[in-house]
C-alpha cells in the first residue's frame, strides 16, 4: 500500500519560512518524479513545484519567484519543499504527489496523492 504523509505545515507570518516534508512508503521512490500542488479555498488546484526521478531537474510555478526549493532524499524516501518569503497568497492546502515512474517532472500525470498539509500565512 502506497502512503504519502505530509508534515511541516502551520501558521507563519508574512516573510517567514516553512519546510514541508512528505514521507513515502510502499512506493519505488527513487524511480518516481515528485510534485507539490496546492489548493486555496475557492480556487483551482495548481502546481507549485516538481522534481524529476533523478532529482536532477526541478520545475517551479511562476508565482514561486525563486522563493521555494523542492528536493528529494532517496535514502529517506522523502521529498521536501523549502518555502521562504511566504506571502498571504501562499495560504493553501499543500499536497505531496507522486508523479510517474521515471518521470522527468514536467508531466501532468499523478499516480498517488497525500492527504495534504495546511499552510496559513498571516499578513
Amino acid at each position: 500500500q502506497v502512503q504519502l504523509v505530509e508534515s511541516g505545515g502551520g501558521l507563519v507570518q508574512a516573510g517567514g519560512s516553512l519546510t514541508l516534508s512528505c514521507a513515502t512508503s510502499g512506493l519505488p521512490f527513487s524511480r518516481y518524479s515528485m510534485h507539490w500542488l496546492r489548493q486555496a479555498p475557492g480556487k483551482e488546484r495548481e502546481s507549485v513545484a516538481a522534481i524529476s526521478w533523478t532529482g536532477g531537474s526541478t520545475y517551479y510555478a511562476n508565482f514561486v519567484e525563486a522563493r521555494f526549493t523542492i528536493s528529494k532524499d532517496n535514502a529517506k524516501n522523502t521529498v521536501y519543499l523549502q518555502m521562504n518569503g511566504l506571502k498571504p497568497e501562499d495560504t493553501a492546502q499543500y499536497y505531496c504527489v507522486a508523479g510517474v515512474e521515471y518521470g522527468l517532472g514536467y508531466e501532468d500525470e499523478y499516480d498517488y496523492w497525500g492527504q495534504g498539509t495546511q499552510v496559513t500565512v498571516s499578513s
Side-chain angles (χ1 to χ4, degrees), residues 5-122:
V5 181
E6 301 97 334
S7 61
L11 174 64
V12 64
Q13 288 189 329
S17 298
L18 284 173
T19 299
L20 305 184
S21 300
C22 174
T24 73
S25 60
L27 181 76
F29 181 81
S30 64
R31 302 201 300 264
Y32 260 81
S33 58
M34 297 298 297
H35 303 251
W36 287 97
L37 282 75
R38 73 184 188 185
Q39 187 166 22
K43 294 190 175 181
E44 297 277 321
R45 187 170 56 212
E46 59 185 355
S47 176
V48 177
I51 188 165
S52 64
W53 70 281
T54 64
S57 297
T58 56
Y59 302 88
Y60 298 95
N62 290 338
F63 61 77
V64 168
E65 298 173 329
R67 300 178 295 129
F68 298 173
T69 302
I70 187 172
S71 60
K72 66 188 308 240
D73 186 335
N74 288 337
K76 296 182 178 180
N77 293 336
T78 299
V79 62
Y80 304 95
L81 184 68
Q82 170 70 43
M83 303 187 293
N84 300 321
L86 283 161
K87 305 175 182 180
E89 51 264 43
D90 293 318
T91 295
Q93 186 83 350
Y94 282 72
Y95 296 93
C96 169
V97 184
V100 295
E101 206 162 354
Y102 302 115
L104 300 179
Y106 56 73
E107 303 92 349
D108 289 331
E109 297 179 53
Y110 310 119
D111 281 356
Y112 304 101
W113 290 73
Q115 293 298 307
T117 186
Q118 178 67 34
V119 171
T120 303
V121 185
S122 63

